[in-house]
Amino acid sequence: MITNLTGISENRIALPAARLMEKRPGQALIICSNEVRTARLARDLSFFSRLPVYVLPQARDELRYEAKSRAEQARRIGILSALARGEKCFVVAPAAGALRPLPPRREFMRDAVTLSLGGFEDRAELIARLVSMGYERVGICESSGQFAVRGDIVDIYSPAAELPVRAEFFGDEIDSLRSYDPLSQRSVEAMETFTVCPANLISADRLREGEDAQYQENYIEELYEETERVWDYMTSPSFIMVDDPSRVSEELAPGKKDAPAPFDYGAFSDICETYVCTPFAQRIKGVERLDALTEIASRQAPMFAGHMDVLAHELSSYADRGYSVTIACSTGERLLNMKEFLGSCGLSGRIELREGELSSGTEYPGEKLLYLSENEIFQYIKRSRRSRRRKGAEIKVFTDIKKGDYVVHEAHGVGRFAGVEKKSVLGSVRDYLKICYAGNDVLYVPVDQMSSVQKYVGSESAPPKVYRLSGPEWGKTKERVKAAIEDMAEDLLELAAERQSEPGFSFGPDSAWQKEFEDAFPYVETDDQLRCTEEIKADMQSDRPM
């Protein structure tokens, strides 16, 4: 059955989707036009639903031989495994990611193995299966897709798990099963069962000899006679939603007025209930049969722009008219501040406060519901600031670097720049930065994405260490540096505490009225001005003398 839900768009889809899942708990897939929309909707869904919300990675427009991000690959495998195991959840996907061809579900989960506490498993056979499933054997298991063997202990880091698992054997019996912290190697939680999913999308018997499995993901349609899509992995489907089909079609076929329908909506309805969400009733391209039309009355929540007196008046008015009003507060501190504000206005108990994030507020007049986000209450847009993260030397044009220079890619680490090459991808010729890593690994970065690459800045006496693209060493290096910085910060804090032991007058924290006063400032502050303001506030609120 295909139903057109009209009157909703953008974040207004989140609440109806959460309610549909409450009626028929299971698995839901929501398809959006792009990554930005996908991420925003996923955050809103997390506010309205207690079920896990997963974001499927976007299919990249990249060279067929370019290595994939390990983190992205692990995330995709984890989501597919959750669906194949029947986990109740939401999956939100950009259209290009949802259309990505996948191996048949039965083949993907064929090699999965479930370990049970007190169960029996031949340890040698388990090790052999892990290798065939694409896991890398290492000395210490720290990264997704790895496993380690130490005596009677087998450590496994499945892409579908947040933490690795440690199985301790007594003969062939699993005597202990627990998750552990990959950095400290300390146990976290005892477990009864654990399912180890494949580390690669492609099964071992399909892999081409001598080629990296990550590269071969580009050839899934050539490796399998039949391929499937993410919705075919849903084992307990509840419904599938397509958010604004017109925008989805435009995203898949930019510039084409008569873009083909991106999905077979009839195939959806054979699996489960199908919903197409549009701002207003319209002819939906690709939908030959529409079974129902449901209109949902909704509109954008009112804006208050920091005028707290207006906010208090309107909240009282909504409450008097029988509205159920909920305000989303992004942090616990802001929730307490808003609670204090409501108390001062005599609205305690009449307005619900919830900690969480909403991209924007929505009013549902037919149901007398109002959801407000911080974006409607305060003026945060003009205060958006650039990232303060220190980078290496920024590369703006080709002449900023020359062949042989070391560069740093955000995701893959230090490599050597080997020049600019023209490559034809899907019929389009583009310029790419060629970066060489250890072994024969090569990464091609489109020139319009060169902001992700910086020139290496370090000691000239010794060259930097260059790792392989698919290895975990770069991630480990960042973790070690992070740990060293934290140790240094701890030492500095102890020293500062000794120097500032004398008490002084401490001003109270900012109130809602203070926030109103700040938002009335008509100019956009610079990053330095904002930083100085924050530092002065912190000094005044501390109990040390100025």
Side-chain angles (χ1 to χ4, degrees), residues 210-271:
E211 288 189 12
D212 192 297
Q214 292 184 73
Y215 298 145
Q216 295 188 45
E217 286 185 23
N218 294 303
Y219 296 95
I220 286 178
E221 290 181 296
E222 299 173 21
L223 295 174
Y224 294 89
E225 293 182 3
E226 295 181 3
T227 59
E228 295 181 345
R229 298 292 190 267
V230 60
W231 52 83
D232 296 309
Y233 278 64
M234 299 169 68
T235 50
S236 55
S238 176
F239 62 87
I240 293 177
M241 269 189 179
V242 179
D243 170 26
D244 202 335
S246 297
R247 292 176 62 183
V248 168
S249 296
E250 290 174 4
E251 188 72 20
L252 292 173
K256 295 183 179 179
K257 294 182 179 179
D258 299 320
F263 307 112
D264 181 357
Y265 293 94
F268 284 171
S269 59
D270 292 338
I271 301 173

Side-chain angles (χ1 to χ4, degrees), residues 141-153:
C141 180
E142 299 176 306
S143 301
S144 177
Q146 295 180 340
F147 79 99
V149 180
R150 300 190 312 281
D152 294 329
I153 295 176

Side-chain angles (χ1 to χ4, degrees), residues 115-123 126 148-156 165-180 185 187 191 194:
L115 305 177
S116 301
L117 182 64
F120 290 87
E121 189 79 35
D122 187 294
R123 197 169 65 92
L126 174 61
V149 180
R150 300 190 312 281
D152 294 329
I153 295 176
V154 179
D155 293 341
I156 308 170
V165 69
R166 178 164 292 157
E168 188 169 353
F169 286 78
F170 183 76
D172 287 339
E173 182 182 0
I174 299 178
D175 191 50
S176 173
L177 192 64
R178 58 193 184 275
S179 60
Y180 68 90
Q185 296 289 306
S187 297
M191 310 177 74
F194 181 77

